[in-house]
């Protein structure tokens, strides 16, 4: 493995981990805004839930990254033998980070005062994609 490949891989993983952090923080902010809008107090229990969620997300993402490291090592080894069929890429970490960010995006949409409009627009978009096929 060359230095450029490893540095690119580390940058990609850093962006994925940072993206999950930003998504959780955005969800926290939207939850705080909703609580203020509904005149509910912000308790430490909610903040602890956010920290617990973030730690469980990072644990899952780290596990996916470990499996990706094993897969990438196998692909690079097979490539040196001339038998690799996939490019070395952190497939599972990317999919996991994307899934976690989408979960948080849905949570943000649920906290939005325009949540009904957002979900109606998503349903319409889904119907349009189905009709296009």
């Amino acid at each position: 493995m060359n230095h450029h490949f490893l540095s690119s891989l580390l940058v990609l993983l850093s962006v994925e981990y940072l993206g999950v952090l930003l998504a959780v923080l955005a969800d926290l902010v939207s939850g705080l805004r909703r609580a203020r809008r509904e005149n509910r107090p912000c308790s430490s229990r909610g903040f602890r839930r956010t920290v617990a969620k973030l730690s469980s997300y990072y644990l899952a993402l780290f596990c996916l990254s470990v499996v990706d490291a094993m897969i990438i090592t196998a692909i690079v080894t097979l490539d040196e033998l001339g038998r690799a069929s996939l490019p070395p890429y952190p497939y599972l970490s990317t999919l996991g980070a994307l899934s976690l960010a989408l979960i948080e995006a849905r949570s943000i949409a649920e906290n939005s005062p325009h949540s009904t409009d957002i979900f109606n627009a998503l349903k319409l978009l889904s119907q349009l994609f189905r009709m296009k096929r």
Side-chain angles (χ1 to χ4, degrees):
M1 278 191 256
N2 62 26
H3 177 69
H4 177 68
F5 171 74
L6 285 176
S7 63
S8 297
L9 187 62
L10 288 176
V11 167
L12 177 65
L13 288 174
S14 298
V15 168
E16 291 173 353
Y17 278 70
L18 183 62
V20 170
L21 174 66
L22 292 176
V24 170
L25 290 176
D27 182 40
L28 174 64
V29 169
S30 73
L32 290 172
R33 286 184 177 173
R34 181 177 182 179
R36 287 188 184 137
R37 198 172 48 247
E38 296 174 358
N39 292 323
R40 288 186 293 152
C42 298
S43 66
S44 63
R45 180 180 300 151
F47 293 116
R48 282 195 304 266
R49 282 189 6 222
T50 298
V51 171
K53 176 175 32 174
L54 189 60
S55 66
S56 67
Y57 280 3
Y58 272 153
L59 180 61
L61 198 54
F62 179 74
C63 290
L64 292 173
S65 296
V66 168
V67 174
D68 272 336
M70 293 187 299
I71 292 170
I72 289 170
T73 303
I75 289 172
V76 168
T77 303
L78 288 173
D79 188 41
E80 291 173 1
L81 297 173
R83 296 182 171 207
S85 59
L86 290 172
Y89 182 81
Y91 298 101
L92 297 176
S93 298
T94 301
L95 184 63
L98 181 63
S99 299
L100 294 172
L102 289 173
I103 289 169
E104 292 306 300
R106 179 172 175 112
S107 178
I108 291 168
E110 289 170 351
N111 286 329
S112 169
H114 309 290
S115 62
T116 306
D117 296 337
I118 292 170
F119 288 118
N120 286 338
L122 289 174
K123 285 179 188 175
L124 179 61
L125 187 61
S126 173
Q127 290 172 352
L128 289 174
F129 278 132
R130 285 188 201 133
M131 288 180 4
K132 195 172 186 177
R133 291 182 189 179

